[in-house]
Amino acid sequence: MNRRLEGVVRVVVIGGSGHIGSFLVPRLVRAGHEVVTISRGARTPYVDAPEWQQVRTVLADRQQEDRDGTFGDRVAELRADVVVDLVCFTLESATALVDRLRGEIGHLLHCGSIWRYGPSHKLPIAEGSDSAAPPSDEYGIQKDRIARMLKAESGLATTSLHPGHIVGPGWHPIGPLGNLDPAVWRTLSAGEPLRIPGLGTELMNHVHADDVAQAFDLAITHRDAAAGEDFNVVAPTALTVRGYAEIAASWFGHTAVLESVSWDDFRHSTAPDHADASWAHLHRSQCCSIEKAKSLLGYSPRYEPEEAIRESIHWLTTHNQLPVANPLLTT
């Protein structure tokens, strides 16, 4: 039987002022939980909400405390029922926290990434299947190792959730070319030709940060169903390069003018960091299944990818953080 978490619990959110935490923390407060966040104090949440007035914040430098071997003690001393770890990037760090919290808390949730998968073999990519190649970059390798370690853990209830390309107000989304180059948005908003590498049929799987927060909230509520599991957390659909560019151009009243070029030509005309980011995103060509999260947790994302991205672009342009040639059309 899938029992629901009932009553007030103390939830510690590590990295609570980041993309996901900005939406998750107010959700947890509204659900009646006592919430403590751990952060470096380097920034305020991306989205303000009155619920933050009820949140206790603990300042800590996780990287330094991991090196000192003291971070697990800091978390354990907060005597949480649930710990949500949004900023863990190595197996060593994750293992140290699990070892310290075993027997101390009821549930540990980890934020992974769909980059735990390598390039897609068949779509959609499902958890535990042969749908994708193994990851080849260090970030993806570490996220996959963490997820596998957590799934094998028997002394502590653990769950890993794996978002796609997170989108939301306050930060730049991964753009139609699979990178963060602001010039792409100026080109599309001006109706000018945009050079795209390859065929333009490669896929990107975005997700709104509030939908990721929803999945974490559900996993906390349905602990029995979530314990020992890993979940993809993405929008209901994925965007191709061409489809994304055409949709984005229409927001500015234009039809996209797209020119296919080889990857070699693209690299010659693109800054190295942007070209590398494009390759990293597009050669994976990922579209992940959310059926497991839907059936076990009741996950129901509110945003299609283009809706989430448009919200982000609207925020950036209205806050003068993204130069464009023409304003977004009203909807």
Side-chain angles (χ1 to χ4, degrees), residues 62 66 88-95 110 142-143 146 149:
R62 189 205 185 129
D66 267 343
C88 181
F89 305 104
T90 68
L91 178 61
E92 180 182 13
S93 177
T95 301
H110 167 80
Q142 291 293 327
K143 286 296 188 182
I146 294 168
M149 179 274 291

Side-chain angles (χ1 to χ4, degrees), residues 15-24 43-48 52 86 163-175 179-182 185 205-213 244 251 281 303 305 307-322:
S17 62
H19 295 159
I20 301 166
S22 293
F23 290 91
L24 175 60
R43 60 157 294 108
T44 57
Y46 284 88
V47 179
D48 193 18
W52 285 97
L86 300 177
H165 314 314
I166 300 175
V167 183
W171 65 94
H172 286 250
I174 295 298
N179 62 32
L180 295 172
D181 186 357
W185 293 101
N205 220 169
H206 293 76
V207 62
H208 196 288
D210 190 48
D211 282 333
V212 182
Y244 187 172
W251 297 338
H281 286 89
Y303 289 84
E307 296 169 344
I309 295 163
R310 193 184 193 286
E311 181 180 291
S312 180
I313 296 302
H314 178 264
W315 190 97
L316 291 169
T317 55
T318 56
H319 287 78
N320 298 315
Q321 294 190 25
L322 180 66

Side-chain angles (χ1 to χ4, degrees), residues 139-221:
Y139 175 79
I141 289 169
Q142 291 293 327
K143 286 296 188 182
D144 186 51
R145 288 175 176 170
I146 294 168
R148 291 175 184 274
M149 179 274 291
L150 294 174
K151 199 170 182 65
E153 168 64 27
S154 59
L156 172 65
T158 65
T159 305
S160 64
L161 296 98
H162 299 271
H165 314 314
I166 300 175
V167 183
W171 65 94
H172 286 250
I174 295 298
L177 298 186
N179 62 32
L180 295 172
D181 186 357
V184 173
W185 293 101
R186 191 201 174 283
T187 298
L188 290 170
S189 67
E192 297 172 354
L194 179 68
R195 292 160 60 88
I196 61 171
L199 298 175
T201 56
E202 297 83 359
L203 291 161
M204 289 169 279
N205 220 169
H206 293 76
V207 62
H208 196 288
D210 190 48
D211 282 333
V212 182
Q214 175 201 154
F216 273 93
D217 189 8
L218 289 166
I220 292 169
T221 300

Side-chain angles (χ1 to χ4, degrees), residues 37-248:
T37 67
I38 301 177
S39 73
R40 292 175 302 166
R43 60 157 294 108
T44 57
Y46 284 88
V47 179
D48 193 18
E51 289 83 2
W52 285 97
Q53 300 300 317
Q54 302 176 52
V55 176
R56 175 188 170 195
T57 298
V58 174
L59 299 181
D61 184 336
R62 189 205 185 129
Q63 289 186 336
Q64 183 60 53
E65 293 190 10
D66 267 343
R67 287 192 290 269
D68 296 340
T70 60
F71 185 70
D73 291 334
R74 179 183 290 280
V75 178
E77 289 167 359
L78 295 173
R79 300 190 179 279
D81 302 294
V82 176
V83 172
V84 179
D85 192 352
L86 300 177
V87 288
C88 181
F89 305 104
T90 68
L91 178 61
E92 180 182 13
S93 177
T95 301
L97 188 62
V98 168
D99 288 344
R100 182 61 183 85
L101 296 183
R102 192 181 292 116
E104 299 278 350
I105 67 167
H107 193 187
L108 172 66
L109 299 95
H110 167 80
C111 183
S113 167
I114 62 169
W115 277 19
R116 69 173 297 195
Y117 309 118
S120 59
H121 286 167
K122 55 185 178 181
L123 301 173
I125 299 169
E127 304 90 337
S129 71
D130 60 355
S131 305
S136 57
D137 68 300
E138 189 61 20
Y139 175 79
I141 289 169
Q142 291 293 327
K143 286 296 188 182
D144 186 51
R145 288 175 176 170
I146 294 168
R148 291 175 184 274
M149 179 274 291
L150 294 174
K151 199 170 182 65
E153 168 64 27
S154 59
L156 172 65
T158 65
T159 305
S160 64
L161 296 98
H162 299 271
H165 314 314
I166 300 175
V167 183
W171 65 94
H172 286 250
I174 295 298
L177 298 186
N179 62 32
L180 295 172
D181 186 357
V184 173
W185 293 101
R186 191 201 174 283
T187 298
L188 290 170
S189 67
E192 297 172 354
L194 179 68
R195 292 160 60 88
I196 61 171
L199 298 175
T201 56
E202 297 83 359
L203 291 161
M204 289 169 279
N205 220 169
H206 293 76
V207 62
H208 196 288
D210 190 48
D211 282 333
V212 182
Q214 175 201 154
F216 273 93
D217 189 8
L218 289 166
I220 292 169
T221 300
H222 301 288
R223 193 189 88 170
D224 287 356
E229 299 292 350
D230 52 352
F231 298 96
N232 298 331
V233 183
V234 293
T237 58
L239 292 168
T240 66
V241 171
R242 286 184 174 274
Y244 187 172
E246 290 169 0
I247 291 169

